[in-house]
Amino acid sequence: MRKKNTKRKGDRYEHHVAWKMRFRGYFFVRVIGRSHDFGGDILAWRFPFRSVVVQCKNYSGRVGISAVQEAAAAKMYYKTSKAVVATNSTFTKSARELATRCGVSLWERY
């Protein structure tokens, strides 16, 4: 009897983003996204030892300000130097404005 695949689509997207980050110069890329992850799905480091927390959103629509708020909170919780929201979609105008004010990077169609 075959085992049923219980992985969520979000899990696959988190691993896809982590894979892309490794090819873009990030090292020690760790997927941490589960329930109660405090807004962070991926922790990674990049030379010169700058840490980054990534909030992944696999949406069919536009990503709103809640994702930016989660990433900003995750930056403070995990004490990283940078916060990012990565999505396969695009961001709303209000999400862009909040990200600019909070210092959160936005990666569209990533």
Side-chain angles (χ1 to χ4, degrees), residues 21 24-26 32 38-55 67-86 99 102-107 110:
M21 289 177 73
R24 287 186 167 80
Y26 289 89
I32 57 171
F38 300 101
D41 294 322
I42 299 172
L43 281 176
W45 283 260
R46 188 171 194 171
F47 188 79
F49 303 104
R50 292 187 49 143
S51 55
V52 62
V53 63
V54 181
Q55 171 67 305
V68 177
Q69 292 168 336
E70 290 172 5
K75 178 182 175 186
M76 291 176 15
Y77 181 81
Y78 291 107
K79 296 180 178 135
T80 60
S81 54
K82 185 177 177 182
V84 174
V85 180
C102 293
V104 174
S105 298
L106 302 177
W107 293 349
Y110 195 75

mmCIF file of all heavy atoms in Angstrom, residues 21 24-26 32 38-55 67-86 99 102-107 110:
data_model
loop_
_atom_site.group_PDB
_atom_site.id
_atom_site.type_symbol
_atom_site.label_atom_id
_atom_site.label_comp_id
_atom_site.label_asym_id
_atom_site.label_seq_id
_atom_site.Cartn_x
_atom_site.Cartn_y
_atom_site.Cartn_z
ATOM 1 N N MET A 21 17.826 30.010 -2.941
ATOM 2 C CA MET A 21 18.723 30.828 -2.125
ATOM 3 C C MET A 21 20.130 30.237 -2.078
ATOM 4 O O MET A 21 21.112 30.972 -2.104
ATOM 5 C CB MET A 21 18.163 30.975 -0.714
ATOM 6 C CG MET A 21 16.932 31.863 -0.643
ATOM 7 S SD MET A 21 16.238 31.958 1.015
ATOM 8 C CE MET A 21 17.480 32.988 1.809
ATOM 9 N N ARG A 24 22.067 31.273 -4.948
ATOM 10 C CA ARG A 24 22.316 32.722 -4.986
ATOM 11 C C ARG A 24 23.288 33.162 -3.901
ATOM 12 O O ARG A 24 23.327 34.326 -3.540
ATOM 13 C CB ARG A 24 21.005 33.472 -4.892
ATOM 14 C CG ARG A 24 20.233 33.368 -6.197
ATOM 15 C CD ARG A 24 18.992 34.220 -6.184
ATOM 16 N NE ARG A 24 18.432 34.354 -7.515
ATOM 17 C CZ ARG A 24 17.687 33.467 -8.131
ATOM 18 N NH1 ARG A 24 17.434 32.320 -7.539
ATOM 19 N NH2 ARG A 24 17.197 33.697 -9.330
ATOM 20 N N GLY A 25 24.043 32.229 -3.348
ATOM 21 C CA GLY A 25 25.111 32.586 -2.429
ATOM 22 C C GLY A 25 24.798 32.489 -0.952
ATOM 23 O O GLY A 25 25.635 32.832 -0.128
ATOM 24 N N TYR A 26 23.627 32.041 -0.594
ATOM 25 C CA TYR A 26 23.312 31.858 0.817
ATOM 26 C C TYR A 26 23.820 30.496 1.264
ATOM 27 O O TYR A 26 23.837 29.538 0.500
ATOM 28 C CB TYR A 26 21.801 31.941 1.054
ATOM 29 C CG TYR A 26 21.250 33.335 0.889
ATOM 30 C CD1 TYR A 26 20.811 33.789 -0.346
ATOM 31 C CD2 TYR A 26 21.170 34.197 1.966
ATOM 32 C CE1 TYR A 26 20.310 35.063 -0.502
ATOM 33 C CE2 TYR A 26 20.675 35.482 1.825
ATOM 34 C CZ TYR A 26 20.243 35.912 0.590
ATOM 35 O OH TYR A 26 19.752 37.173 0.436
ATOM 36 N N ILE A 32 12.426 26.289 8.418
ATOM 37 C CA ILE A 32 11.912 26.163 9.778
ATOM 38 C C ILE A 32 10.393 26.288 9.826
ATOM 39 O O ILE A 32 9.805 26.227 10.887
ATOM 40 C CB ILE A 32 12.528 27.233 10.705
ATOM 41 C CG1 ILE A 32 12.266 28.638 10.164
ATOM 42 C CG2 ILE A 32 13.997 26.986 10.924
ATOM 43 C CD1 ILE A 32 12.637 29.739 11.111
ATOM 44 N N PHE A 38 6.679 31.672 14.358
ATOM 45 C CA PHE A 38 6.888 33.089 14.675
ATOM 46 C C PHE A 38 7.126 33.928 13.425
ATOM 47 O O PHE A 38 7.852 34.905 13.451
ATOM 48 C CB PHE A 38 8.033 33.265 15.675
ATOM 49 C CG PHE A 38 7.778 32.558 16.975
ATOM 50 C CD1 PHE A 38 8.372 31.339 17.237
ATOM 51 C CD2 PHE A 38 6.916 33.099 17.909
ATOM 52 C CE1 PHE A 38 8.118 30.677 18.419
ATOM 53 C CE2 PHE A 38 6.658 32.440 19.101
ATOM 54 C CZ PHE A 38 7.262 31.227 19.357
ATOM 55 N N GLY A 39 6.525 33.556 12.310
ATOM 56 C CA GLY A 39 6.591 34.347 11.087
ATOM 57 C C GLY A 39 7.741 34.033 10.164
ATOM 58 O O GLY A 39 7.857 34.624 9.107
ATOM 59 N N GLY A 40 8.596 33.122 10.545
ATOM 60 C CA GLY A 40 9.746 32.785 9.701
ATOM 61 C C GLY A 40 9.611 31.400 9.115
ATOM 62 O O GLY A 40 9.254 30.458 9.820
ATOM 63 N N ASP A 41 9.876 31.262 7.829
ATOM 64 C CA ASP A 41 9.850 29.951 7.187
ATOM 65 C C ASP A 41 11.247 29.443 6.864
ATOM 66 O O ASP A 41 11.476 28.241 6.824
ATOM 67 C CB ASP A 41 9.024 30.013 5.896
ATOM 68 C CG ASP A 41 7.555 30.281 6.171
ATOM 69 O OD1 ASP A 41 7.036 29.748 7.162
ATOM 70 O OD2 ASP A 41 6.930 31.026 5.396
ATOM 71 N N ILE A 42 12.185 30.359 6.621
ATOM 72 C CA ILE A 42 13.554 29.983 6.270
ATOM 73 C C ILE A 42 14.519 30.885 7.028
ATOM 74 O O ILE A 42 14.321 32.103 7.102
ATOM 75 C CB ILE A 42 13.809 30.139 4.759
ATOM 76 C CG1 ILE A 42 12.880 29.236 3.956
ATOM 77 C CG2 ILE A 42 15.264 29.851 4.413
ATOM 78 C CD1 ILE A 42 12.930 29.466 2.461
ATOM 79 N N LEU A 43 15.569 30.286 7.583
ATOM 80 C CA LEU A 43 16.687 31.033 8.151
ATOM 81 C C LEU A 43 17.903 30.744 7.287
ATOM 82 O O LEU A 43 18.158 29.593 6.927
ATOM 83 C CB LEU A 43 16.985 30.591 9.579
ATOM 84 C CG LEU A 43 16.095 31.133 10.676
ATOM 85 C CD1 LEU A 43 16.468 30.511 12.021
ATOM 86 C CD2 LEU A 43 16.209 32.645 10.764
ATOM 87 N N ALA A 44 18.670 31.792 6.964
ATOM 88 C CA ALA A 44 19.850 31.599 6.124
ATOM 89 C C ALA A 44 20.902 32.650 6.464
ATOM 90 O O ALA A 44 20.605 33.667 7.093
ATOM 91 C CB ALA A 44 19.473 31.695 4.649
ATOM 92 N N TRP A 45 22.122 32.389 6.018
ATOM 93 C CA TRP A 45 23.214 33.326 6.210
ATOM 94 C C TRP A 45 23.891 33.573 4.880
ATOM 95 O O TRP A 45 23.905 32.717 4.005
ATOM 96 C CB TRP A 45 24.230 32.769 7.202
ATOM 97 C CG TRP A 45 23.747 32.884 8.601
ATOM 98 C CD1 TRP A 45 24.090 33.825 9.503
ATOM 99 C CD2 TRP A 45 22.815 32.038 9.267
ATOM 100 N NE1 TRP A 45 23.425 33.629 10.684
ATOM 101 C CE2 TRP A 45 22.635 32.537 10.555
ATOM 102 C CE3 TRP A 45 22.089 30.904 8.886
ATOM 103 C CZ2 TRP A 45 21.777 31.945 11.478
ATOM 104 C CZ3 TRP A 45 21.251 30.323 9.796
ATOM 105 C CH2 TRP A 45 21.098 30.842 11.079
ATOM 106 N N ARG A 46 24.454 34.778 4.748
ATOM 107 C CA ARG A 46 25.162 35.151 3.532
ATOM 108 C C ARG A 46 26.416 35.919 3.925
ATOM 109 O O ARG A 46 26.409 36.660 4.899
ATOM 110 C CB ARG A 46 24.269 36.023 2.658
ATOM 111 C CG ARG A 46 24.857 36.289 1.301
ATOM 112 C CD ARG A 46 23.865 36.963 0.417
ATOM 113 N NE ARG A 46 24.362 36.886 -0.944
ATOM 114 C CZ ARG A 46 23.674 37.221 -1.981
ATOM 115 N NH1 ARG A 46 22.444 37.643 -1.856
ATOM 116 N NH2 ARG A 46 24.191 37.127 -3.171
ATOM 117 N N PHE A 47 27.467 35.741 3.151
ATOM 118 C CA PHE A 47 28.706 36.442 3.444
ATOM 119 C C PHE A 47 28.478 37.933 3.399
ATOM 120 O O PHE A 47 27.768 38.405 2.518
ATOM 121 C CB PHE A 47 29.777 36.035 2.418
ATOM 122 C CG PHE A 47 31.139 36.554 2.757
ATOM 123 C CD1 PHE A 47 31.892 35.918 3.716
ATOM 124 C CD2 PHE A 47 31.635 37.677 2.130
ATOM 125 C CE1 PHE A 47 33.141 36.397 4.038
ATOM 126 C CE2 PHE A 47 32.878 38.157 2.448
ATOM 127 C CZ PHE A 47 33.632 37.522 3.403
ATOM 128 N N PRO A 48 28.953 38.745 4.248
ATOM 129 C CA PRO A 48 29.817 38.464 5.407
ATOM 130 C C PRO A 48 29.003 38.191 6.665
ATOM 131 O O PRO A 48 28.835 39.066 7.496
ATOM 132 C CB PRO A 48 30.660 39.718 5.544
ATOM 133 C CG PRO A 48 29.758 40.817 5.068
ATOM 134 C CD PRO A 48 28.859 40.192 4.024
ATOM 135 N N PHE A 49 28.495 37.020 6.776
ATOM 136 C CA PHE A 49 27.806 36.511 7.957
ATOM 137 C C PHE A 49 26.605 37.359 8.366
ATOM 138 O O PHE A 49 26.411 37.674 9.516
ATOM 139 C CB PHE A 49 28.788 36.323 9.118
ATOM 140 C CG PHE A 49 29.909 35.421 8.745
ATOM 141 C CD1 PHE A 49 31.160 35.941 8.464
ATOM 142 C CD2 PHE A 49 29.703 34.065 8.606
ATOM 143 C CE1 PHE A 49 32.186 35.105 8.080
ATOM 144 C CE2 PHE A 49 30.733 33.220 8.226
ATOM 145 C CZ PHE A 49 31.978 33.742 7.965
ATOM 146 N N ARG A 50 25.817 37.722 7.372
ATOM 147 C CA ARG A 50 24.557 38.419 7.628
ATOM 148 C C ARG A 50 23.439 37.382 7.643
ATOM 149 O O ARG A 50 23.328 36.573 6.730
ATOM 150 C CB ARG A 50 24.301 39.460 6.558
ATOM 151 C CG ARG A 50 25.289 40.609 6.625
ATOM 152 C CD ARG A 50 24.905 41.674 5.670
ATOM 153 N NE ARG A 50 23.477 41.967 5.855
ATOM 154 C CZ ARG A 50 22.958 43.164 5.776
ATOM 155 N NH1 ARG A 50 23.714 44.183 5.519
ATOM 156 N NH2 ARG A 50 21.672 43.349 5.931
ATOM 157 N N SER A 51 22.618 37.451 8.656
ATOM 158 C CA SER A 51 21.526 36.485 8.772
ATOM 159 C C SER A 51 20.255 37.074 8.171
ATOM 160 O O SER A 51 20.045 38.281 8.173
ATOM 161 C CB SER A 51 21.288 36.121 10.237
ATOM 162 O OG SER A 51 21.052 37.289 10.991
ATOM 163 N N VAL A 52 19.428 36.192 7.644
ATOM 164 C CA VAL A 52 18.169 36.607 7.023
ATOM 165 C C VAL A 52 17.073 35.607 7.392
ATOM 166 O O VAL A 52 17.332 34.405 7.480
ATOM 167 C CB VAL A 52 18.313 36.741 5.484
ATOM 168 C CG1 VAL A 52 18.666 35.420 4.846
ATOM 169 C CG2 VAL A 52 17.062 37.292 4.856
ATOM 170 N N VAL A 53 15.878 36.135 7.636
ATOM 171 C CA VAL A 53 14.705 35.295 7.849
ATOM 172 C C VAL A 53 13.743 35.570 6.691
ATOM 173 O O VAL A 53 13.575 36.716 6.279
ATOM 174 C CB VAL A 53 14.036 35.558 9.224
ATOM 175 C CG1 VAL A 53 13.521 36.964 9.351
ATOM 176 C CG2 VAL A 53 12.940 34.546 9.505
ATOM 177 N N VAL A 54 13.169 34.503 6.154
ATOM 178 C CA VAL A 54 12.294 34.621 4.985
ATOM 179 C C VAL A 54 10.911 34.095 5.341
ATOM 180 O O VAL A 54 10.778 32.998 5.902
ATOM 181 C CB VAL A 54 12.854 33.834 3.775
ATOM 182 C CG1 VAL A 54 11.941 33.990 2.566
ATOM 183 C CG2 VAL A 54 14.267 34.280 3.453
ATOM 184 N N GLN A 55 9.906 34.871 4.992
ATOM 185 C CA GLN A 55 8.502 34.452 5.107
ATOM 186 C C GLN A 55 8.045 34.124 3.695
ATOM 187 O O GLN A 55 8.087 34.979 2.812
ATOM 188 C CB GLN A 55 7.668 35.577 5.717
ATOM 189 C CG GLN A 55 6.179 35.351 5.686
ATOM 190 C CD GLN A 55 5.725 34.216 6.572
ATOM 191 O OE1 GLN A 55 6.181 33.107 6.463
ATOM 192 N NE2 GLN A 55 4.797 34.488 7.438
ATOM 193 N N ALA A 67 1.732 39.632 5.662
ATOM 194 C CA ALA A 67 2.986 38.917 5.426
ATOM 195 C C ALA A 67 4.185 39.784 5.815
ATOM 196 O O ALA A 67 5.165 39.283 6.383
ATOM 197 C CB ALA A 67 3.094 38.515 3.956
ATOM 198 N N VAL A 68 4.114 41.076 5.529
ATOM 199 C CA VAL A 68 5.194 41.996 5.892
ATOM 200 C C VAL A 68 5.275 42.118 7.409
ATOM 201 O O VAL A 68 6.370 42.132 7.988
ATOM 202 C CB VAL A 68 4.984 43.373 5.231
ATOM 203 C CG1 VAL A 68 6.058 44.354 5.654
ATOM 204 C CG2 VAL A 68 4.953 43.243 3.716
ATOM 205 N N GLN A 69 4.124 42.183 8.072
ATOM 206 C CA GLN A 69 4.106 42.258 9.532
ATOM 207 C C GLN A 69 4.718 41.005 10.152
ATOM 208 O O GLN A 69 5.484 41.088 11.113
ATOM 209 C CB GLN A 69 2.669 42.436 10.026
ATOM 210 C CG GLN A 69 2.072 43.772 9.670
ATOM 211 C CD GLN A 69 0.570 43.839 9.912
ATOM 212 O OE1 GLN A 69 -0.115 42.817 9.925
ATOM 213 N NE2 GLN A 69 0.072 45.045 10.088
ATOM 214 N N GLU A 70 4.403 39.843 9.584
ATOM 215 C CA GLU A 70 4.963 38.588 10.090
ATOM 216 C C GLU A 70 6.476 38.559 9.914
ATOM 217 O O GLU A 70 7.207 38.111 10.805
ATOM 218 C CB GLU A 70 4.329 37.401 9.369
ATOM 219 C CG GLU A 70 2.885 37.174 9.726
ATOM 220 C CD GLU A 70 2.225 36.122 8.851
ATOM 221 O OE1 GLU A 70 2.918 35.495 8.020
ATOM 222 O OE2 GLU A 70 1.011 35.925 8.989
ATOM 223 N N ALA A 71 6.961 39.023 8.766
ATOM 224 C CA ALA A 71 8.402 39.029 8.510
ATOM 225 C C ALA A 71 9.123 39.993 9.444
ATOM 226 O O ALA A 71 10.199 39.678 9.962
ATOM 227 C CB ALA A 71 8.676 39.402 7.051
ATOM 228 N N ALA A 72 8.540 41.157 9.694
ATOM 229 C CA ALA A 72 9.148 42.131 10.609
ATOM 230 C C ALA A 72 9.207 41.559 12.032
ATOM 231 O O ALA A 72 10.210 41.724 12.733
ATOM 232 C CB ALA A 72 8.369 43.437 10.587
ATOM 233 N N ALA A 73 8.164 40.870 12.439
ATOM 234 C CA ALA A 73 8.154 40.245 13.764
ATOM 235 C C ALA A 73 9.178 39.119 13.839
ATOM 236 O O ALA A 73 9.870 38.956 14.849
ATOM 237 C CB ALA A 73 6.761 39.715 14.085
ATOM 238 N N ALA A 74 9.298 38.344 12.768
ATOM 239 C CA ALA A 74 10.266 37.241 12.734
ATOM 240 C C ALA A 74 11.696 37.770 12.814
ATOM 241 O O ALA A 74 12.560 37.155 13.439
ATOM 242 C CB ALA A 74 10.082 36.415 11.470
ATOM 243 N N LYS A 75 11.948 38.913 12.186
ATOM 244 C CA LYS A 75 13.289 39.527 12.237
ATOM 245 C C LYS A 75 13.667 39.833 13.682
ATOM 246 O O LYS A 75 14.792 39.590 14.104
ATOM 247 C CB LYS A 75 13.311 40.793 11.392
ATOM 248 C CG LYS A 75 14.637 41.516 11.424
ATOM 249 C CD LYS A 75 14.582 42.788 10.607
ATOM 250 C CE LYS A 75 15.867 43.567 10.745
ATOM 251 N NZ LYS A 75 15.790 44.871 10.087
ATOM 252 N N MET A 76 12.725 40.358 14.429
ATOM 253 C CA MET A 76 12.994 40.680 15.835
ATOM 254 C C MET A 76 13.100 39.412 16.677
ATOM 255 O O MET A 76 13.963 39.299 17.538
ATOM 256 C CB MET A 76 11.919 41.613 16.373
ATOM 257 C CG MET A 76 12.035 42.969 15.724
ATOM 258 S SD MET A 76 10.840 44.268 16.066
ATOM 259 C CE MET A 76 9.943 43.857 17.456
ATOM 260 N N TYR A 77 12.240 38.426 16.406
ATOM 261 C CA TYR A 77 12.246 37.193 17.204
ATOM 262 C C TYR A 77 13.535 36.397 17.000
ATOM 263 O O TYR A 77 14.153 35.940 17.957
ATOM 264 C CB TYR A 77 11.035 36.327 16.860
ATOM 265 C CG TYR A 77 10.990 35.057 17.664
ATOM 266 C CD1 TYR A 77 10.491 35.056 18.956
ATOM 267 C CD2 TYR A 77 11.476 33.862 17.146
ATOM 268 C CE1 TYR A 77 10.469 33.902 19.713
ATOM 269 C CE2 TYR A 77 11.466 32.703 17.893
ATOM 270 C CZ TYR A 77 10.962 32.727 19.175
ATOM 271 O OH TYR A 77 10.955 31.590 19.933
ATOM 272 N N TYR A 78 13.929 36.211 15.736
ATOM 273 C CA TYR A 78 15.124 35.421 15.428
ATOM 274 C C TYR A 78 16.408 36.245 15.471
ATOM 275 O O TYR A 78 17.483 35.709 15.251
ATOM 276 C CB TYR A 78 14.976 34.761 14.056
ATOM 277 C CG TYR A 78 13.920 33.679 14.042
ATOM 278 C CD1 TYR A 78 12.705 33.882 13.413
ATOM 279 C CD2 TYR A 78 14.137 32.458 14.675
ATOM 280 C CE1 TYR A 78 11.727 32.892 13.397
ATOM 281 C CE2 TYR A 78 13.168 31.470 14.674
ATOM 282 C CZ TYR A 78 11.973 31.689 14.031
ATOM 283 O OH TYR A 78 11.015 30.719 14.027
ATOM 284 N N LYS A 79 16.295 37.556 15.699
ATOM 285 C CA LYS A 79 17.444 38.466 15.803
ATOM 286 C C LYS A 79 18.337 38.398 14.558
ATOM 287 O O LYS A 79 19.554 38.243 14.645
ATOM 288 C CB LYS A 79 18.245 38.165 17.067
ATOM 289 C CG LYS A 79 17.453 38.412 18.327
ATOM 290 C CD LYS A 79 18.246 38.116 19.563
ATOM 291 C CE LYS A 79 17.388 38.450 20.764
ATOM 292 N NZ LYS A 79 17.407 37.480 21.796
ATOM 293 N N THR A 80 17.709 38.507 13.399
ATOM 294 C CA THR A 80 18.444 38.495 12.138
ATOM 295 C C THR A 80 18.693 39.929 11.676
ATOM 296 O O THR A 80 18.085 40.871 12.166
ATOM 297 C CB THR A 80 17.673 37.734 11.047
ATOM 298 O OG1 THR A 80 16.418 38.373 10.824
ATOM 299 C CG2 THR A 80 17.450 36.279 11.439
ATOM 300 N N SER A 81 19.591 40.079 10.717
ATOM 301 C CA SER A 81 19.913 41.411 10.211
ATOM 302 C C SER A 81 18.995 41.829 9.066
ATOM 303 O O SER A 81 18.986 42.995 8.688
ATOM 304 C CB SER A 81 21.375 41.471 9.767
ATOM 305 O OG SER A 81 21.656 40.448 8.860
ATOM 306 N N LYS A 82 18.239 40.886 8.512
ATOM 307 C CA LYS A 82 17.380 41.200 7.368
ATOM 308 C C LYS A 82 16.129 40.326 7.403
ATOM 309 O O LYS A 82 16.176 39.171 7.827
ATOM 310 C CB LYS A 82 18.153 40.948 6.073
ATOM 311 C CG LYS A 82 17.437 41.336 4.822
ATOM 312 C CD LYS A 82 18.338 41.117 3.603
ATOM 313 C CE LYS A 82 17.606 41.445 2.333
ATOM 314 N NZ LYS A 82 18.430 41.205 1.151
ATOM 315 N N ALA A 83 15.017 40.891 6.913
ATOM 316 C CA ALA A 83 13.765 40.143 6.776
ATOM 317 C C ALA A 83 13.295 40.239 5.332
ATOM 318 O O ALA A 83 13.425 41.286 4.697
ATOM 319 C CB ALA A 83 12.698 40.688 7.706
ATOM 320 N N VAL A 84 12.756 39.142 4.815
ATOM 321 C CA VAL A 84 12.319 39.062 3.417
ATOM 322 C C VAL A 84 10.968 38.371 3.360
ATOM 323 O O VAL A 84 10.711 37.437 4.121
ATOM 324 C CB VAL A 84 13.344 38.255 2.574
ATOM 325 C CG1 VAL A 84 12.843 38.025 1.173
ATOM 326 C CG2 VAL A 84 14.697 38.921 2.563
ATOM 327 N N VAL A 85 10.120 38.829 2.438
ATOM 328 C CA VAL A 85 8.903 38.099 2.094
ATOM 329 C C VAL A 85 9.061 37.651 0.655
ATOM 330 O O VAL A 85 9.248 38.469 -0.244
ATOM 331 C CB VAL A 85 7.630 38.970 2.239
ATOM 332 C CG1 VAL A 85 6.398 38.153 1.865
ATOM 333 C CG2 VAL A 85 7.496 39.520 3.644
ATOM 334 N N ALA A 86 9.029 36.345 0.431
ATOM 335 C CA ALA A 86 9.159 35.782 -0.917
ATOM 336 C C ALA A 86 7.806 35.232 -1.347
ATOM 337 O O ALA A 86 7.136 34.547 -0.576
ATOM 338 C CB ALA A 86 10.205 34.674 -0.934
ATOM 339 N N ALA A 99 6.552 47.620 3.822
ATOM 340 C CA ALA A 99 7.873 46.997 3.704
ATOM 341 C C ALA A 99 8.969 48.053 3.622
ATOM 342 O O ALA A 99 10.038 47.906 4.219
ATOM 343 C CB ALA A 99 7.919 46.089 2.480
ATOM 344 N N CYS A 102 9.391 49.489 7.140
ATOM 345 C CA CYS A 102 9.915 48.529 8.124
ATOM 346 C C CYS A 102 11.269 47.944 7.739
ATOM 347 O O CYS A 102 11.864 47.208 8.520
ATOM 348 C CB CYS A 102 8.920 47.380 8.316
ATOM 349 S SG CYS A 102 7.387 47.879 9.075
ATOM 350 N N GLY A 103 11.725 48.208 6.527
ATOM 351 C CA GLY A 103 13.003 47.655 6.086
ATOM 352 C C GLY A 103 12.935 46.185 5.715
ATOM 353 O O GLY A 103 13.914 45.453 5.833
ATOM 354 N N VAL A 104 11.781 45.750 5.245
ATOM 355 C CA VAL A 104 11.592 44.354 4.821
ATOM 356 C C VAL A 104 11.732 44.289 3.305
ATOM 357 O O VAL A 104 11.125 45.080 2.586
ATOM 358 C CB VAL A 104 10.200 43.832 5.251
ATOM 359 C CG1 VAL A 104 9.948 42.442 4.698
ATOM 360 C CG2 VAL A 104 10.071 43.847 6.757
ATOM 361 N N SER A 105 12.554 43.360 2.812
ATOM 362 C CA SER A 105 12.717 43.181 1.365
ATOM 363 C C SER A 105 11.591 42.331 0.809
ATOM 364 O O SER A 105 11.141 41.386 1.470
ATOM 365 C CB SER A 105 14.059 42.506 1.068
ATOM 366 O OG SER A 105 15.120 43.307 1.503
ATOM 367 N N LEU A 106 11.183 42.643 -0.402
ATOM 368 C CA LEU A 106 10.114 41.886 -1.062
ATOM 369 C C LEU A 106 10.674 41.201 -2.307
ATOM 370 O O LEU A 106 11.258 41.877 -3.161
ATOM 371 C CB LEU A 106 8.960 42.821 -1.436
ATOM 372 C CG LEU A 106 8.305 43.591 -0.305
ATOM 373 C CD1 LEU A 106 7.225 44.519 -0.836
ATOM 374 C CD2 LEU A 106 7.740 42.646 0.745
ATOM 375 N N TRP A 107 10.488 39.893 -2.395
ATOM 376 C CA TRP A 107 10.913 39.131 -3.563
ATOM 377 C C TRP A 107 9.660 38.640 -4.288
ATOM 378 O O TRP A 107 9.005 37.707 -3.846
ATOM 379 C CB TRP A 107 11.775 37.938 -3.165
ATOM 380 C CG TRP A 107 13.098 38.289 -2.570
ATOM 381 C CD1 TRP A 107 13.693 39.506 -2.528
ATOM 382 C CD2 TRP A 107 13.995 37.388 -1.918
ATOM 383 N NE1 TRP A 107 14.901 39.431 -1.891
ATOM 384 C CE2 TRP A 107 15.117 38.131 -1.516
ATOM 385 C CE3 TRP A 107 13.946 36.020 -1.647
ATOM 386 C CZ2 TRP A 107 16.196 37.556 -0.842
ATOM 387 C CZ3 TRP A 107 15.012 35.458 -0.984
ATOM 388 C CH2 TRP A 107 16.129 36.203 -0.593
ATOM 389 N N TYR A 110 9.240 34.778 -7.113
ATOM 390 C CA TYR A 110 10.493 34.117 -6.774
ATOM 391 C C TYR A 110 10.324 32.636 -6.785
ATOM 392 O O TYR A 110 9.446 32.073 -6.236
ATOM 393 C CB TYR A 110 10.952 34.602 -5.393
ATOM 394 C CG TYR A 110 12.381 34.282 -5.091
ATOM 395 C CD1 TYR A 110 13.399 35.012 -5.685
ATOM 396 C CD2 TYR A 110 12.733 33.258 -4.227
ATOM 397 C CE1 TYR A 110 14.727 34.741 -5.402
ATOM 398 C CE2 TYR A 110 14.050 32.985 -3.942
ATOM 399 C CZ TYR A 110 15.038 33.726 -4.540
ATOM 400 O OH TYR A 110 16.339 33.444 -4.262
#
